[in-house]
Amino acid sequence: MRHLFGAALLLALLSACASSPTGRSQLMIVPESTAISASEEAYRSQLAPYARAGRLDNDRALKARVDRIASRLVAQAVRMRPDTEGWDWSIKILDDPKTVNAWAMAGGKMALYTGLVLQVEPSDDELAQVLGHEIAHALAKHTAEKMSVALATQLGVAALALGTGSQTAGAAGALAASLAIELPYSRTAESEADRIGIELAAKAGYDPRAAVSLWRKMARVSEGKAPPQFLSTHPSPETRIEELAAIAPKMMPYYEQARRSRPPEFQLQNS
C-alpha cells in the first residue's frame, strides 16, 4: 500500500508542472484559485489587528502616492497576464514605523508598511521597484508554488506514515495550505520577482536604474543589525545590486517608451 501511494505521489508530482512568466519550471500541485482563496482569508487576518488599532491607511498623502504608483504597475501586470484583470487588486498602508516590509498575496491583495517609507525614504521610482517586486510574486503564481512545495513535502510524510494510519494525504494537504501562507518565498522566487518587477516598473514609466539605488538604501538600513524582514529571505544586497545593474540597461527602452506616452492606470479596489 505504501509503495502504491508513493508511486501515485510521484506521478502527481511529475504531471504537476507549470512555467512562470520567465519560463522557469514550477511545481504546481495546488491550483492558483486555491491559493487565491487561502490568501483572501490570510489577508483579512493580517489586516484585522491594524484595523482594530486604527493603524490602517492613516496617512492620506502616502496612500494617494502608493495608489498612484500601484495603479500604473498593476496596469502593466494585467497586460502581462490578461487573466488577472478580474482580480481584486488593492493595497493597504499598515502604520508600523519599525517594520521595513511589503507583500502581495495571490489574487492581488497587497500591503506596505510605513517603516519602509520612513526608514528607506524611497523616491517614486524606487518605491515602484518595491511594489513591482511584490506584484511580480502574485503574477508568477509564487504563492501557489509555495503551497505546492509544502503540500508535496507533507504528502511525502503521509506516504511514509500511511502504513500506520497516523496521517492522511488530506490532512497533509490542509496543513500545507495553512503553512504556506506564512512560509517565506525561495531565493529563486525572489530573484525572479526582481526580474519581473523591474520590467513592470520600466513599462509603467519608472526608471529601472532606481532598482540599484533602492537596494543600496536597503543595505544601509540593515547595516550593523539584523536585516529588515523584507530582506530576510532575499539574495544578499550585493548580489541583488549586481544582478539588477546588469538588467537595468535592458529595461531602458521600455522606460523611454513609457516616458513618451501616458502609462495606463488600473482602478484599484478600496477593500
Side-chain angles (χ1 to χ4, degrees):
M1 183 68 176
R2 184 185 304 173
H3 296 301
L4 289 175
F5 187 90
L9 171 61
L10 179 60
L11 180 61
L13 294 178
L14 291 175
S15 62
C17 291
S19 295
S20 74
T22 64
R24 179 177 62 87
S25 180
Q26 295 174 292
L27 175 66
M28 203 65 69
I29 301 173
V30 176
E32 187 176 36
S33 58
T34 299
I36 290 173
S37 296
S39 294
E40 287 174 353
E41 179 63 33
Y43 191 68
R44 288 191 292 270
S45 176
Q46 290 284 339
L47 296 186
Y50 290 90
R52 287 194 297 268
R55 296 164 58 195
L56 204 60
D57 289 344
N58 285 337
D59 187 331
R60 291 186 179 182
L62 177 58
K63 173 64 173 170
R65 177 190 178 197
V66 170
D67 280 353
R68 182 180 68 253
I69 296 170
S71 68
R72 286 167 58 173
L73 292 168
V74 171
Q76 296 304 321
V78 170
R79 283 186 170 185
M80 186 176 288
R81 267 195 65 186
D83 60 302
T84 66
E85 185 175 6
W87 286 3
D88 292 329
W89 291 100
S90 65
I91 187 163
K92 290 293 186 181
I93 309 300
L94 308 184
D95 187 2
D96 185 346
K98 294 183 179 180
T99 300
V100 179
N101 199 19
W103 43 259
M105 294 181 174
K109 298 292 190 182
M110 300 175 279
L112 173 73
Y113 294 80
T114 56
L116 190 148
V117 177
L118 294 172
Q119 296 188 45
V120 179
E121 299 182 339
S123 66
D124 282 3
D125 290 314
E126 291 166 342
L127 189 53
Q129 303 300 325
V130 173
L131 299 178
H133 173 94
E134 297 306 329
I135 289 169
H137 278 308
L139 268 192
K141 305 181 182 180
H142 285 164
T143 299
E145 180 180 17
K146 185 169 54 171
M147 291 175 68
S148 295
V149 171
L151 179 59
T153 301
Q154 293 300 321
L155 283 175
V157 172
L160 294 175
L162 192 62
T164 62
S166 62
Q167 187 176 19
T168 66
L175 179 60
S178 61
L179 286 177
I181 299 299
E182 302 297 332
L183 293 174
Y185 292 111
S186 69
R187 293 200 172 190
T188 298
E190 294 292 0
S191 294
E192 184 171 59
D194 274 351
R195 171 61 183 79
I196 297 170
I198 193 174
E199 181 175 338
L200 293 175
K203 289 180 175 179
Y206 295 103
D207 193 336
R209 293 167 294 191
V212 174
S213 59
L214 168 72
W215 291 107
R216 284 179 177 149
K217 288 183 177 181
M218 286 286 196
R220 286 197 292 270
V221 167
S222 62
E223 202 168 40
K225 56 184 177 181
Q229 185 179 355
F230 189 68
L231 294 172
S232 59
T233 59
H234 293 216
S236 69
E238 294 78 13
T239 299
R240 169 170 261 130
I241 288 169
E242 183 178 333
E243 291 175 350
L244 289 171
I247 295 171
K250 302 174 185 177
M251 299 294 111
M252 288 301 292
Y254 296 134
Y255 171 56
E256 295 295 345
Q257 182 178 351
R259 288 183 65 192
R260 292 192 294 269
S261 60
R262 181 180 175 85
E265 298 182 359
F266 186 90
Q267 183 62 49
L268 301 176
Q269 301 294 320
N270 292 324
S271 58

